[in-house]
Amino acid sequence: MLKFFFSSKIKQKRINKYPTNNEYAYGYEANPKISFIFNHFVALKTLLMSIENLKKMKITNEIIVINDKGINTDKIFSSLKKNNDTVITTYNLMEVNGYILGSKISRATDYLVFIQDDDLAPNNNLWLRDVLKYFKRDKSLGLIGINGGGIKSYEKKPFDFSRENFKKDFFYCSWVKSGPLIFKKKVFDKIGGWEKLANIGENDHFSDKLMSHKVWLNGYKTGLLINKSTLQWKRRFNRDDNLTKKDLMKLKNRHITWNLNRKKFLKKFKKSLYMVEKKAIDANLKIGINCK
């Protein structure tokens, strides 16, 4: 199946013999295997670079950009290649609402990848090839993160496998961090898609933990893949406002929203929190990882 996904020869054929505007459409993919869904607000240059890199993918795909900045739509649109690539212009709805919009118009049959606009995609398909291998290896996997993730999601500083030296590259997690999240499409649909914690215009902290938790509650698993290929993603590569991660951490409103969303998350999953944690810990034990 992976050979089919990454075939170097994608046949293009004329799909409309009698176009009303006298322009033939080539390569339209009515049912692409995967959707790359961006929420854009702060990093136009990085977004455009990521689009260029993702256009090199051999897997049948579509790129969907929710332009939540409300400007530069023409620049984004002109960077896209295929007829079914899409831009939706909004203003200040914030990340999860953008992902909700993008997932609703997705045509993907197999996978959805949700990407923040200041994370730069690699210029090769090795990271996706490796992710799909793990989905194929474990049919119960519903979500894979490639940024960070771990257990003890109820703590203010949860345990993060990406910060520890386990000499492993894959872990089962009760939570994973945004910065690409790859969902198996059927699992994404089963859990009801994205669910927001924040209000319009606020930061969406803990929405990634919420989604990770829902995957486990529906009988699937969440994992983290940190290897040579996934580390080629450049986190917080460049922002138009030039703010670094340290700068963002100092913003007062981010702290307020983080604490409010944490309370909402813990309240929502009060009854299932420790059950999911145990499932993640037990799953790791089966692959030789003791994280108790």
Side-chain angles (χ1 to χ4, degrees):
M1 183 164 297
L2 290 176
K3 290 183 180 179
F4 170 75
F5 276 2
F6 293 107
S7 172
S8 61
K9 295 181 180 179
I10 297 178
K11 294 181 180 179
Q12 292 187 337
K13 61 182 180 179
R14 187 174 296 183
I15 62 172
N16 53 333
K17 296 180 179 179
Y18 310 103
T20 57
N21 62 356
N22 294 318
E23 293 184 9
Y24 289 103
Y26 294 96
Y28 179 81
E29 296 164 0
N31 300 112
K33 296 291 182 184
I34 189 167
S35 292
F36 298 107
I37 302 174
F38 286 90
N39 187 76
H40 164 56
F41 191 72
V42 295
L44 179 63
K45 291 180 181 179
T46 303
L47 169 67
L48 296 179
M49 291 172 67
S50 287
I51 289 174
E52 287 303 311
N53 289 339
L54 291 175
K55 281 159 61 173
K56 301 172 185 177
M57 287 284 183
K58 304 303 181 186
I59 183 173
T60 58
N61 70 82
E62 65 181 358
I63 298 174
I64 298 172
V65 179
I66 307 304
N67 177 21
D68 201 32
K69 192 71 173 179
I71 58 175
N72 294 318
T73 298
D74 56 337
K75 292 182 180 180
I76 298 170
F77 184 77
S78 64
S79 72
L80 299 173
K81 182 173 69 172
K82 296 189 298 297
N83 299 73
N84 54 317
D85 289 341
T86 306
V87 181
I88 295 180
T89 300
T90 57
Y91 182 70
N92 204 33
L93 295 182
M94 293 306 289
E95 186 176 358
V96 168
N97 287 292
Y99 291 157
I100 290 171
L101 286 175
S103 63
K104 285 183 177 179
I105 65 170
S106 167
R107 305 170 183 87
T109 59
D110 290 45
Y111 301 98
L112 301 174
V113 182
F114 295 94
I115 308 169
Q116 295 175 316
D117 66 342
D118 57 350
D119 293 341
L120 179 61
N123 63 356
N124 60 69
N125 65 15
L126 299 180
W127 65 275
L128 184 58
R129 178 203 63 185
D130 290 349
V131 167
L132 297 186
K133 282 182 180 178
Y134 274 91
F135 276 123
K136 187 176 181 181
R137 185 179 303 176
D138 184 350
K139 302 298 184 182
S140 67
L141 267 172
L143 165 62
I144 294 179
I146 57 176
N147 176 21
I151 58 172
K152 301 182 180 179
S153 57
Y154 48 83
E155 293 186 354
K156 286 201 171 182
K157 290 187 177 180
F159 183 88
D160 189 340
F161 287 114
S162 68
R163 300 179 186 277
E164 304 294 330
N165 185 21
F166 276 92
K167 296 182 179 179
K168 301 275 188 177
D169 59 15
F170 181 81
F171 310 90
Y172 291 105
C173 303
S174 62
W175 64 274
V176 288
K177 288 194 289 189
S178 289
L181 294 179
I182 304 96
F183 282 89
K184 192 176 289 182
K185 177 67 162 53
K186 69 175 184 179
V187 176
F188 182 84
D189 292 340
K190 184 173 182 179
I191 68 176
W194 281 94
E195 185 175 337
K196 56 187 180 181
L197 288 172
N199 296 317
I200 295 294
E202 294 180 341
N203 293 298
D204 289 300
H205 303 295
F206 282 86
S207 57
D208 43 14
K209 290 184 174 65
L210 185 152
M211 295 296 285
S212 306
H213 197 91
K214 286 170 65 174
V215 168
W216 286 97
L217 287 182
N218 281 273
Y220 293 88
K221 298 173 185 172
T222 296
L224 170 69
L225 179 60
I226 298 287
N227 67 5
K228 185 177 180 180
S229 66
T230 62
L231 288 172
Q232 291 183 52
W233 274 86
K234 295 181 180 179
R235 179 78 171 151
R236 305 292 188 207
F237 179 72
N238 180 273
R239 292 167 57 101
D240 299 339
D241 56 16
N242 295 317
L243 293 179
T244 65
K245 179 68 173 178
K246 290 183 179 179
D247 295 329
L248 295 173
M249 294 296 290
K250 295 177 183 178
L251 296 177
K252 180 180 178 181
N253 285 352
R254 288 178 65 89
H255 283 283
I256 294 172
T257 306
W258 188 92
N259 285 296
L260 287 173
N261 290 359
R262 179 175 182 270
K263 289 179 181 178
K264 292 176 184 177
F265 170 80
L266 294 177
K267 182 178 180 181
K268 180 178 180 63
F269 297 116
K270 183 178 180 180
K271 294 182 179 179
S272 59
L273 201 61
Y274 294 99
M275 178 266 288
V276 165
E277 295 291 343
K278 186 177 186 306
K279 284 179 178 290
I281 291 171
D282 290 346
N284 279 308
L285 285 174
K286 291 180 180 179
I287 59 173
I289 300 170
N290 189 340
C291 52
K292 289 185 177 181

